[in-house]
């Protein structure tokens, strides 16, 4: 109780000490918020669009194999694992926020534009133009077939794709872990941290839904993938001035953004002692970078919120999301593309609804409890009190409690909704085995007394289990994005301001580790009938993620559920 009283007193003192600061930074105006959202919207639109377009371009360049697509995906993931922490470190050590953000924008757009040129060269080889219409693909713009040159250009396109992903990651780190936290108003302000995070994530999810669809429409209407390449490059080119101007307007109107951000102390520089000057420094550069990489991991795993962040990263192993492998599996077992598109759109609606539910849920669950965060580690408590003194938004005890409790609700919702998804997938797979004459999984019950003519029974069961599959999958997406939003704000709040960007960089590296593990699992179990095991592994990973986060919440609050309150409610009703 003493630690709780001390933390509450620290929070009250922080509010009193920062009255002047709050007056100096009342938060964004409506015009500034609009420009912030506009810059983020164009960045996210292009990032989501190119992410999907690169899949289509690779499939068109190598139509008879999945090796190129798998190779591109694995190479990009490995590059993200290796370099994401360096990107976060660079953002953290760049004192000028505007220059940092504009650099990521220009680098990202430039890589997409240049990459589009090389994709155009690949797709202009004469053996790849048979599917193009004469209008969309004029015969005067063709190149002779050259497989060696094609492989070389493809490698360059992958290299620009890596630059695009890294610069997009830097843009997101700069925006979410620096700009948004800096410009957020105090709790209760229309543009406080909770509401800013919700709107930014809503923009991301809407772009994730619409941008790929628009690219698909462009390619379908024109009948040419090359037109899709041109559309992608021109979209990036047009976006550059809009993003730059909107970001500059936000920066010009906010004095806190213009203030150089605090930079952590530099590591000691190791100079050469053999008289070779610069060459000695170059020899030590890679060991120095390797030490910095492991120091970033040490910083991450000693942070008070590494468990929620790591639990979120583990969810990226989940195969029961709308990734390419899951969509391919659904198509192979007989679902039409129209059904998959409708189910995915419904899931996107649930995802977007999480950005509406989360801000209200944080406030409600925070107000229902007046207990403060209890930590078993005194260093974590001192860090929390330091942040309460230093930060002027999203730092009240009730908000932290609301984030913890809502995050647990979101994670629990995903776990509970994933169970019927896995069950439905196993039953559908068992039915498919029976219909195709396989006798491997007949132990799964068919839940029907009619074993005569199986056509009508199988059709009704397929519809029923399909409804269960897609409906609970949509509900699980609601839970995961609620948890994503709460975890993001926890890391924004409880990670020290001089470590937020580096923390986010290491977090991205760990996320991509689980992405690679998921891709590797899909490669190890490539057959359609084996996907049920990937689904089971996904459920296990979600359960492990829930356990890790629940352990962290219990260590912070000394309990998960107010059993005494539940007991009093049930006793009162009886």
């Amino acid at each position: 109780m003493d630690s709780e009283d001390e933390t509450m007193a620290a929070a009250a003192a922080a509010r009193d000490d920062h009255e002047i600061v709050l007056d100096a930074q009342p938060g964004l105006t409506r015009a500034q918020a609009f420009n912030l959202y506009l810059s983020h919207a164009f960045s996210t639109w292009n990032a989501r669009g190119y992410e999907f377009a690169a899949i289509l371009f690779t499939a068109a360049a190598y139509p008879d194999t999945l090796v190129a697509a798998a190779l591109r995906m694995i190479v990009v993931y490995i590059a993200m694992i290796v370099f994401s922490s360096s990107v976060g470190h660079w953002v953290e050590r760049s004192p000028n926020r505007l220059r940092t953000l504009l650099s990521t924008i220009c680098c990202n757009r430039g890589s997409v534009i240049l990459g589009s040129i090389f994709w155009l060269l690949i797709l202009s080889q004469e053996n790849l133009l048979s599917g193009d219409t004469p209008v969309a693909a004029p015969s005067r713009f063709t190149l002779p077939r050259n497989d060696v040159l094609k492989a070389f250009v493809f490698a360059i396109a992958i290299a620009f794709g890596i630059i695009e992903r890294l610069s997009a990651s830097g843009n997101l780190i700069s925006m979410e872990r620096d700009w948004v936290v800096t410009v957020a108003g105090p709790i209760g302000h229309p543009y406080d941290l909770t509401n800013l995070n919700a709107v930014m994530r809503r923009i991301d999810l809407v772009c994730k839904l619409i941008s790929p669809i628009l690219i698909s429409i462009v390619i379908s209407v024109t009948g040419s993938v090359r037109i899709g390449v041109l559309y992608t490059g021109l979209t990036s080119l047009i976006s550059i001035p809009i993003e730059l101007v909107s970001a500059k307007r936000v920066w010009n109107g906010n004095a806190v953004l213009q203030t150089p951000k605090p930079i952590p102390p530099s590591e000691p520089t190791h100079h050469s002692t053999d008289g070779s000057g610069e060459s000695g420094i170059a020899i030590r550069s890679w060991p120095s970078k390797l030490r910095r990489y492991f120091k970033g991991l040490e910083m991450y795993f000693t942070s008070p919120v590494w468990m929620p962040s790591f639990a979120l990263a583990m969810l990226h192993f989940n195969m029961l999301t709308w990734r390419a492998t899951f969509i391919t599996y659904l198509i192979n077992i007989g679902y039409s593309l129209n059904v998959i598109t409708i189910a995915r759109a419904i899931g996107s609606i649930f995802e977007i609804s999480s950005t509406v539910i989360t801000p209200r849920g944080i406030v409600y669950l925070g107000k229902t409890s007046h207990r403060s965060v209890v930590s078993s580690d005194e260093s974590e408590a001192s860090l929390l009190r330091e942040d309460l003194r230093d930060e002027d938004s999203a730092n009240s005890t009730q908000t932290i409690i609301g984030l913890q409790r809502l995050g647990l609700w979101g994670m629990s919702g995903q776990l509970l909704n994933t169970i019927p998804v896995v069950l439905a997938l196993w039953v559908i797979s068992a039915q498919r085995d029976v219909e195709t004459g396989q006798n491997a999984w007949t132990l799964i019950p068919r839940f029907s007394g009619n074993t005569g003519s199986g056509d009508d029974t199988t059709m009704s069961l397929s519809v029923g289990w399909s409804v269960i599959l897609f409906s609970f999958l949509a509900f699980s997406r609601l839970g995961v994005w609620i948890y994503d939003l709460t975890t993001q704000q926890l890391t924004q709040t409880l990670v020290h301001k001089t470590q937020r960007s580096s923390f986010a960089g290491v977090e991205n590296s760990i996320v991509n580790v689980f992405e690679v593990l998921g891709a590797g699992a899909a490669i190890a179990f490539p057959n359609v009938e084996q996907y049920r095991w990937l689904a089971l592994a996904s459920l296990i990973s979600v359960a492990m993620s829930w356990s890790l986060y629940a352990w962290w919440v219990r260590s912070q609050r000394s309990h998960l559920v107010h059993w005494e309150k539940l007991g009093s409610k049930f006793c009162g009703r009886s």
Side-chain angles (χ1 to χ4, degrees), residues 442-464:
T442 53
L443 58 112
I444 301 297
R446 293 177 65 83
F447 299 99
S448 174
N450 183 8
T451 57
S453 60
D455 293 339
D456 295 337
T457 302
T458 302
M459 180 61 68
S460 62
L461 282 175
S462 298
V463 172

Side-chain angles (χ1 to χ4, degrees), residues 28 36 95-98 178-180 182-183 247 250-252 254-261:
L28 293 172
L36 184 72
N96 191 307
R97 294 183 171 93
L98 179 64
D178 190 9
W179 279 58
V180 169
T182 302
V183 302
V250 178
W251 188 81
N252 287 335
N254 194 288
V256 181
L257 276 179
Q258 298 177 22
T259 303
K261 62 183 178 184

Side-chain angles (χ1 to χ4, degrees), residues 48-306:
R48 292 295 188 180
Y50 189 77
E51 179 183 5
F52 179 75
I55 298 174
L56 301 182
F57 300 161
T58 305
Y62 294 91
D64 299 325
T65 178
L66 296 177
V67 174
L71 179 64
R72 187 192 66 85
M73 180 176 61
I74 292 175
V75 169
V76 171
Y77 282 153
I78 292 176
M80 292 293 292
I81 293 172
V82 174
F83 297 111
S84 286
S85 59
S86 298
V87 172
H89 185 77
W90 171 73
V91 173
E92 180 182 278
R93 304 196 65 83
S94 301
N96 191 307
R97 294 183 171 93
L98 179 64
R99 187 178 302 154
T100 303
L101 187 67
L102 298 189
S103 298
T104 61
I105 293 173
C106 293
C107 184
N108 187 267
R109 299 299 159 265
S111 62
V112 172
I113 294 170
L114 294 176
S116 298
I117 295 175
F118 287 97
W119 282 117
L120 197 61
L121 293 176
I122 294 174
L123 296 173
S124 294
Q125 291 193 11
E126 56 186 2
N127 61 306
L128 298 175
L129 295 178
S130 58
D132 284 11
T133 61
V135 176
S139 58
R140 64 176 179 273
F141 185 51
T142 59
L143 297 175
R145 178 173 180 174
N146 188 324
D147 292 338
V148 175
L149 181 60
K150 176 183 176 181
F152 178 73
V153 176
F154 180 63
I156 297 177
I158 292 178
F160 279 112
I162 292 173
I163 297 174
E164 188 277 331
R165 287 291 300 274
L166 290 172
S167 57
S169 174
N171 181 274
L172 197 63
I173 292 174
S174 179
M175 182 64 75
E176 290 187 349
R177 304 301 172 95
D178 190 9
W179 279 58
V180 169
V181 181
T182 302
V183 302
I187 296 173
H189 192 276
Y191 303 109
D192 62 6
L193 187 57
T194 300
N195 287 291
L196 284 177
N197 282 336
V199 175
M200 300 283 272
R201 188 50 48 88
R202 192 177 308 147
I203 292 171
D204 182 22
L205 293 173
V206 170
C207 292
K208 177 184 176 182
L209 173 64
I210 299 178
S211 183
I213 292 177
L214 190 57
I215 292 177
S216 300
I217 292 175
V218 170
I219 295 176
S220 299
V221 171
T222 60
S224 171
V225 181
R226 294 197 300 171
I227 297 298
V229 175
L230 293 175
Y231 165 82
T232 302
L234 290 176
T235 302
S236 292
L237 182 62
I238 295 172
S239 300
I240 294 176
I242 301 175
E243 291 184 67
L244 298 182
V245 171
S246 57
K248 189 71 162 53
R249 286 178 177 175
V250 178
W251 188 81
N252 287 335
N254 194 288
V256 181
L257 276 179
Q258 298 177 22
T259 303
K261 62 183 178 184
I263 305 298
S266 302
E267 299 178 6
T269 304
H270 301 277
H271 296 282
S272 174
T273 57
D274 59 358
S276 58
E278 295 182 357
S279 61
I281 296 176
I283 294 175
R284 292 175 176 265
S285 61
W286 280 109
S288 176
K289 291 179 180 179
L290 191 61
R291 283 195 300 270
R292 189 175 68 187
Y293 186 86
F294 284 107
K295 286 192 68 174
L297 291 175
E298 180 184 2
M299 176 273 300
Y300 178 87
F301 284 108
T302 55
S303 168
V305 288
W306 78 266

Side-chain angles (χ1 to χ4, degrees), residues 550-565:
W551 178 276
W552 179 78
V553 172
R554 194 179 188 282
S555 70
Q556 298 294 302
R557 304 182 61 229
S558 73
H559 65 277
L560 288 179
V561 180
H562 292 286
W563 296 109
E564 67 280 2
K565 291 186 178 181

